[in-house]
Amino acid sequence: MKLVIGLDGQSSGEKALEFAKNLANRMESCELIVVYVIEWSPFSFQTAEENAQRHKRREEEIAIAMERVVNPAIKTLTEAGLTARAVVRHGDVADTIDDIAHSEGASQIIVARSSAGGFSKRIFGSSTANLVMDARVPVTVVV
C-alpha cells in the first residue's frame, strides 16, 4: 500500500506526518510518499532572461524545500522503520498532489488542517474543495 502525505512546512504538516506514520505502523507493508508542492503557475509571459532566472529560482526553491521540510520528514519516517521517499514539485497544490497520488497508485492522500497558514490555508480554500471533491483516491484531512 502507498500513502501520499502532503506537507506544508508548518506544524500542521507534522500532524499529517504523525497520522500517516501511525497508520503505516499498523500495516504489514506500506510506502509513504512525502509531497511538498511549491505553488507555481506556468501561465506567465516572460522574456528569455526572466525564464532563465525563474528556472534557477525554481531549482533553489526545491533545494530549500528538501532541506527544511522534506528531508527531516523522511528522516523521521525512516528512523521509525518505515519506507519513505520524497517528491517536491511546482504547480497547483490540489492538482499536483492528486496527480502524484494517481500516478504512484496511492491508496490514500493525507493532509492536515490548520489556521496557521501555509499549505493548509491554501488548501482549505478552493484547493481543499478541489482535492477532496476531485482526487482520484480517498483524502484524509487531519485536524
Side-chain angles (χ1 to χ4, degrees), residues 22-41:
N22 291 335
L23 185 60
N25 275 325
R26 295 183 192 132
M27 298 177 186
E28 191 171 310
S29 176
C30 183
E31 179 182 12
L32 299 166
I33 304 166
V34 176
V35 176
Y36 185 87
V37 179
I38 302 165
E39 283 194 285
W40 176 78
S41 171

Side-chain angles (χ1 to χ4, degrees), residues 74-93:
I74 296 295
K75 182 178 178 186
T76 296
L77 296 170
T78 56
E79 286 178 350
L82 298 167
T83 302
R85 61 187 169 88
V87 177
V88 177
R89 295 227 179 109
H90 284 84
D92 174 80
V93 173

Side-chain angles (χ1 to χ4, degrees), residues 2-143:
K2 293 182 184 181
L3 303 176
V4 168
I5 309 163
L7 294 186
D8 61 357
Q10 306 293 323
S11 60
S12 56
E14 295 297 320
K15 293 176 185 177
L17 189 67
E18 188 64 24
F19 180 87
K21 183 172 82 169
N22 291 335
L23 185 60
N25 275 325
R26 295 183 192 132
M27 298 177 186
E28 191 171 310
S29 176
C30 183
E31 179 182 12
L32 299 166
I33 304 166
V34 176
V35 176
Y36 185 87
V37 179
I38 302 165
E39 283 194 285
W40 176 78
S41 171
F43 304 110
S44 180
F45 299 100
Q46 299 178 341
T47 66
E49 182 180 312
E50 288 170 328
N51 281 334
Q53 291 172 350
R54 188 177 194 191
H55 177 73
K56 181 180 177 189
R57 199 167 46 247
R58 286 179 63 188
E59 295 300 316
E60 291 169 352
E61 289 171 342
I62 289 172
I64 290 168
M66 290 296 292
E67 178 185 336
R68 294 182 183 169
V69 179
V70 180
N71 288 341
I74 296 295
K75 182 178 178 186
T76 296
L77 296 170
T78 56
E79 286 178 350
L82 298 167
T83 302
R85 61 187 169 88
V87 177
V88 177
R89 295 227 179 109
H90 284 84
D92 174 80
V93 173
D95 289 344
T96 303
I97 291 174
D98 179 51
D99 288 344
I100 292 168
H102 180 71
S103 68
E104 292 284 348
S107 301
Q108 188 175 152
I109 297 168
I110 300 168
V111 294
R113 179 178 67 95
S114 167
S115 59
F119 173 79
S120 297
K121 184 175 182 180
R122 292 192 309 262
I123 197 163
F124 274 84
S126 61
S127 293
T128 300
N130 290 340
L131 184 61
V132 171
M133 291 188 305
D134 297 332
R136 292 168 275 184
V137 301
V139 177
T140 297
V141 180
V142 181
V143 293

